[in-house]
Amino acid sequence: MIIHEVATPRKQLAFTFDDGPDPVHTARIAAAFERHGGRATFFVLGGALERHPDVARALHAAGHELGNHSYSHPRLTELDEDARREELERTDALIRDIAGVRPTSFRAPFLATDDALEALAASYGYAHAGGLNLDSMDWASPGVEHIAATVRAAFRAGAVILLHDGGDREQTAEAIERLLPEAVAAGFELVTFAELRRQAAEASPA
């Protein structure tokens, strides 16, 4: 099941970023969160992790969450079971090696999923992240104003925000630098996807 938002009484947002880590844009985005006292989730690609492990280590050290976004960004629904498992396992192992913890969050490339992939993700203990702002399309560089407006429209308690830090993400980074102070001023906490789920679970009646 893809989680686009979490039912929670707390005014929290989970910003998430796909396709990194990138030594330029990931670092810029992380710096913005540091300035505003927030944390985010970075759904990393195994190939990018191998190229930039120090960036990922810095994210983990700063309290951000590393999630699994596959090794090479294929459409996982088009692969057989062994190939799917290898995509998840290689990145899972890299995250464990770099951060010393096993990831608990996953996002399928292109958000392409099926029952078999959901079962595989569940076997790793992953929660599958979606996003309420899919019309942002920041991967296509539609403009800072478009990105900011579509993300802002998704601001509500428990929302998962989907953006990208891999590739040329100058527009995304600029939008984030505008959005974070707005979110904080509106009373939102900026938390990881894992923290959002944990807080919601603790708030739910037994």
Side-chain angles (χ1 to χ4, degrees):
M1 177 184 73
I2 298 180
I3 301 170
H4 299 288
E5 61 183 316
V6 173
T8 175
R10 299 186 62 161
K11 202 170 180 183
Q12 296 178 322
L13 295 171
F15 278 86
T16 68
F17 300 88
D18 290 0
D19 299 351
D22 177 87
V24 176
H25 301 294
T26 302
R28 179 177 171 185
I29 290 167
F33 277 88
E34 183 68 24
R35 287 195 298 274
H36 298 288
R39 300 294 179 265
T41 299
F42 292 83
F43 286 98
V44 294
L45 294 173
L49 273 179
E50 289 179 337
R51 292 190 298 274
H52 308 296
D54 289 346
V55 179
R57 287 192 189 96
L59 290 174
H60 176 68
H64 301 290
E65 179 186 12
L66 300 180
N68 194 333
H69 194 45
S70 80
Y71 183 83
S72 63
H73 207 280
R75 194 172 290 271
L76 293 168
T77 52
E78 297 177 357
L79 303 182
D80 63 28
E81 180 72 9
D82 287 344
R84 294 181 184 194
R85 185 175 294 279
E86 182 179 7
E87 283 283 335
L88 268 60
E89 178 58 36
R90 291 179 73 182
T91 300
D92 189 285
L94 284 163
I95 293 171
R96 282 183 277 129
D97 181 60
I98 288 169
V101 296
R102 184 162 194 173
T104 63
S105 303
F106 166 70
R107 179 177 282 130
F110 313 104
L111 287 180
T113 191
D114 55 25
D115 289 345
L117 180 57
E118 292 296 325
L120 178 60
S123 75
Y124 280 84
Y126 294 157
H128 194 171
L132 284 181
N133 63 310
L134 301 185
D135 53 349
S136 294
M137 298 174 63
D138 68 317
W139 50 269
S141 298
V144 175
E145 293 296 339
H146 174 83
I147 296 168
T150 53
V151 170
R152 194 180 293 118
F155 279 5
R156 63 174 182 256
V160 179
I161 304 298
L162 191 165
L163 294 165
H164 297 76
D165 62 320
D168 182 3
R169 297 279 75 86
E170 178 72 22
Q171 292 182 5
T172 300
E174 184 173 339
I176 283 295
E177 289 168 346
R178 298 185 189 184
L179 288 164
L180 296 192
E182 294 179 16
V184 171
F188 285 100
E189 295 177 73
L190 310 175
V191 300
T192 66
F193 181 55
E195 178 68 6
L196 181 66
R197 302 193 322 271
R198 185 182 71 81
Q199 294 278 5
E202 290 178 353
S204 297

